[in-house]
Amino acid sequence: MKPVFLRQTALACALVLASLASAAPGAAHSEPMSREQGAAILQELRAIRQLLEQQPKAAPAAAAAPAPAPTSVRVDLSQEAHTLGATSAPLTLVMFTDHECPFCKRFLQESLPRLRQDYIDTGKLRLILRDLPLDMHPNAQKAAEVARCAAEQGKHWPLLEAFASAPEPLAQPAMARLIQGMGLDASRIDACVADGRYTAKVKASVAEARRLGFNGTPTFVLGATTPGALEGEKMVGIQPYESLKRRLDEHLAKARPKS
């Protein structure tokens, strides 16, 4: 217990005792406090102070734990995937996504347009999309297959943007409306899905995510571009543009050759 606190507590006690004494019946017309009364109050305060000093001292505040180092993982890039940006970009960002995940949708709507303008279209970043449909989203597996089938008609990314803006779950009626609205050949999409043309590829992407310990979406891996694999920083959850921009600029500064 700090001395300053003890003095403040003793003073508070004195004020309380004084107010109690003045509140006694007839106190307004009584004589001034006698020496004996003052001595009794002081003795009471000394006893209170002794009790306070006997209290165990508060433990010193624990030092702030250092921030954990970013988790580094190695992603196999040999699987077929959809990309944006040049293969020569110094940085690669892999995104494991679920087309019914609301946080993935927010990333596609809010962060991706700015990423494309500032980093992807300027040759600084390549984005690789991987599928991780979660069991909690009953339409996510089929949506991933439909998106891959749409790529055969050159509409993969536009369909993903339509998925992201859809206000309802991607069940069959909603999916059919989106496909029609994109001007896609619906019969080709239906045949592609019915054949299971991309089922194994989606499941292989899920298996890669599980191998890496990824259980939620979106999950990102950011690192320097290397052939065949990406060893980089794991980031879980939606990444606001400003936060992601900070990380990208840090990685670009490291990748830049020193003069």
Side-chain angles (χ1 to χ4, degrees), residues 146-181:
V146 167
R148 287 175 180 253
C149 292
E152 295 180 356
Q153 301 181 44
K155 294 289 184 71
H156 178 262
W157 289 100
L159 185 59
L160 292 192
E161 292 169 1
F163 284 171
S165 59
E168 55 191 331
L170 297 176
Q172 179 57 36
M175 193 93 70
R177 283 194 295 273
L178 292 172
I179 290 170
Q180 184 178 11

Side-chain angles (χ1 to χ4, degrees), residues 6 19 23 34 50 69 90 93 106 109-110 113 136 149 155 166 221:
L6 292 173
S19 64
S34 66
Q50 287 176 356
L93 178 69
R106 278 184 58 193
Q109 288 179 304
E110 299 172 7
M136 70 178 72
C149 292
K155 294 289 184 71
V221 180

